[in-house]
Amino acid sequence: MKRAQVLTIAGSDSGGGAGIQADLKTFQELGVFGTSVLTAVTAQNTRGVHGVEAVSAELLAQQLDAIGSDFSIEACKTGMLFDASRIETVASGVKRHAFKQLVVDPVMIAKGGASLLQDTAVEALKTALLPLATVVTPNVPEAEVLAGLTIRSFQDRLEAAERILALGAKAVVLKGGHLEGERAEDLVLTASEAFLVSAPRIDTLDTHGTGCTFSAALTAELAKGRPMIEATVTAKRFIQSAITYGLEIGTGHGPTNHWAYGMHGEEGVTLETITTSRAR
């Protein structure tokens, strides 16, 4: 059976809950073949990030060329990119090898609060990488940085998503996990459509790597040829199961359960279409 080939360009999490480790686990569970390009190595566990060391820009470029010259990548995603130089190296490699369907997870801050993206890199992210993106998947704090506004209301979320879309991405999934309410509600915005995808909020500390896992699931589904909204709903269901059936590993923010979707199936995800000024 032929499997879609996908790529994660991200950092390594020694604790196994986020980064390329989470991405490769997700790819495997969703039936695609995962390859990886390492941007940085972290000393990390459920209690936080204790050290970060970036891979050289030269080795980063070599990894991208090794993958691009031998694999047929149907979709790729970025995670932790560290700084402007490495963002530009990644953007160059994505263009050089014409990698399809780029999912940008704009990783900026770890669960424990450690910065994973230098302040000077935000502009490079906006100008070099987002114009190449099929979809960008910020959480609320990341969206505030990218859009340059404070998000409090639903209208703020719409405005932020509009501003991020204007940076060149074809779609935005503005995740609602940092907001309050009984349901975790994600806003999906494209040039012509807007949707809300929501699921019950789970009271748990087992949330390390949720953003990485969600964006990896989205990448896997896009690689299979799924339309954007169908891929987003499956990714939401995957991460909802992973959070619901926590593993209780570690003494801090524990990892999600990447086996859960295959074992327990879909969990309480609903889809609602909304009307915005952008809809045609």
Side-chain angles (χ1 to χ4, degrees), residues 97-156:
H97 296 290
F99 290 142
K100 305 172 185 176
Q101 304 193 97
L102 174 64
V103 177
V104 175
D105 181 12
V107 177
M108 296 180 183
I109 300 173
K111 276 288 183 294
S115 176
L116 296 176
L117 184 67
Q118 295 182 6
D119 292 341
T120 55
V122 173
E123 191 62 26
L125 184 68
K126 292 164 67 173
T127 59
L129 202 59
L130 292 193
L132 306 177
T134 303
V135 57
V136 55
T137 62
N139 58 31
V140 168
E142 291 161 350
E144 289 180 329
V145 172
L146 293 175
L149 60 80
T150 300
I151 296 175
R152 293 289 180 267
S153 66
F154 178 71
Q155 193 58 44
D156 293 337

Side-chain angles (χ1 to χ4, degrees), residues 203-214:
D203 184 16
T204 177
L205 285 177
D206 290 343
T207 56
H208 181 55
T210 50
C212 303
T213 298
F214 173 82

